[in-house]
Amino acid sequence: MARDTRQKILDMALSMFNAQGEPNVTTNHIADELEISPGNLYYHFRNKDDIIEQLFARFEERMDSALGAPEGRLPGLEDVWLQLHMVFECIWDYRFLHRDLVEILSRNRRLRLRFARILKRADEQAHLVIRGLSKAGVMRGSAEELAATATNVLLIATFWLNYSAARGDKDEHVAIRQGIVQVMMLIAPFLRDAERMHLHTLTRAYRD
């Protein structure tokens, strides 16, 4: 029973943080929505930051899984597309973390260190995939160009929701789809003609 209550608190907190923004939700709001006492909530979690850290652990596990590379072969265009889907789906499910990223990290040193670890792994993975596409002959460019592209891929994926919110987009689900296309367009100029045509076919279908 205690485990069920703990799970319900986390699920409700995630839903409310995503819908209303983490700064606008208190532990009392979460308890009210669940129709439990604040004392019951504090039995499971010390404070709101404790809840956020537990949600971050879920996010971290999902992101680690999404950042896995193909084993035993070089990556292809479809691998990049699939990986971006998994990364952006994770960002969508925990979108409050990215949307309110600066505020959350500014008050929690442990999360700053853990998020830095995720960025470091994502950066390494982005460079690994881009180099793999180059080795496979799918992409062409200088080492400097490909390295800069890999960094830009990570930069846009990390802060796309912030950019989308700043320009006034209302539908974050649509914004996520646009983010995937935007990232893929970064690598388009470096693709061979056949892969570039394939990419444009994918993005046209995705926009419809």
Side-chain angles (χ1 to χ4, degrees):
M1 181 66 72
R3 181 171 181 147
D4 288 344
T5 301
R6 182 181 174 85
Q7 189 68 38
K8 287 178 181 177
I9 291 170
L10 288 174
D11 291 343
M12 179 58 71
L14 178 59
S15 176
M16 294 179 72
F17 290 163
N18 281 341
Q20 302 173 35
E22 179 273 332
N24 301 317
V25 178
T26 67
T27 50
N28 284 345
H29 292 145
I30 297 168
D32 287 344
E33 284 294 321
L34 288 170
E35 299 182 345
I36 62 175
S37 69
N40 193 354
L41 185 146
Y42 289 128
Y43 172 79
H44 297 281
F45 300 98
R46 298 184 305 275
N47 49 41
K48 189 169 76 165
D49 276 353
D50 190 15
I51 294 174
I52 292 171
E53 286 194 30
Q54 294 302 314
L55 291 174
F56 191 90
R58 289 184 180 181
F59 167 78
E60 195 172 24
E61 185 177 352
R62 277 273 303 276
M63 192 60 76
D64 276 345
S65 176
L67 290 173
E71 295 185 6
R73 62 179 177 82
L74 292 171
L77 197 60
E78 296 285 353
D79 294 312
V80 180
W81 189 259
L82 176 61
Q83 189 168 65
L84 279 175
H85 270 272
M86 293 174 65
V87 166
F88 271 93
E89 281 174 3
C90 181
I91 291 173
W92 167 253
D93 288 342
Y94 293 87
R95 54 196 176 277
F96 83 92
L97 283 171
H98 283 256
R99 189 177 52 211
D100 304 317
L101 183 63
V102 174
E103 180 162 350
I104 292 171
L105 297 187
S106 68
R107 64 173 192 258
N108 192 315
R109 182 176 180 275
R110 287 190 302 274
L111 287 190
R112 283 202 304 274
L113 294 174
R114 290 169 70 180
F115 197 82
R117 173 198 165 277
I118 290 177
L119 285 181
K120 184 175 185 296
R121 170 143 192 239
D123 183 64
E124 292 169 350
Q125 182 62 20
H127 282 78
L128 181 66
V129 168
I130 294 297
R131 288 197 300 269
L133 290 173
S134 177
K135 288 180 182 178
V138 175
M139 290 182 69
R140 293 171 294 194
S142 69
E144 293 79 9
E145 289 170 337
L146 297 180
T149 300
T151 298
N152 288 338
V153 163
L154 177 59
L155 182 63
I156 288 182
T158 302
F159 293 104
W160 181 258
L161 279 186
N162 304 69
Y163 167 73
S164 177
R167 70 180 186 179
D169 293 344
K170 301 301 182 185
D171 191 333
E172 286 182 322
H173 195 37
V174 170
I176 290 289
R177 293 168 64 89
Q178 292 172 339
I180 294 173
V181 172
Q182 190 70 26
V183 170
M184 292 301 287
M185 286 296 101
L186 283 174
I187 71 174
F190 301 100
L191 295 176
R192 297 180 306 189
D193 290 344
E195 278 78 10
R196 188 183 299 185
M197 289 179 62
H198 182 44
L199 174 59
H200 284 295
T201 300
L202 287 173
T203 55
R204 275 199 306 271
Y206 206 65
R207 288 189 179 108
D208 293 340

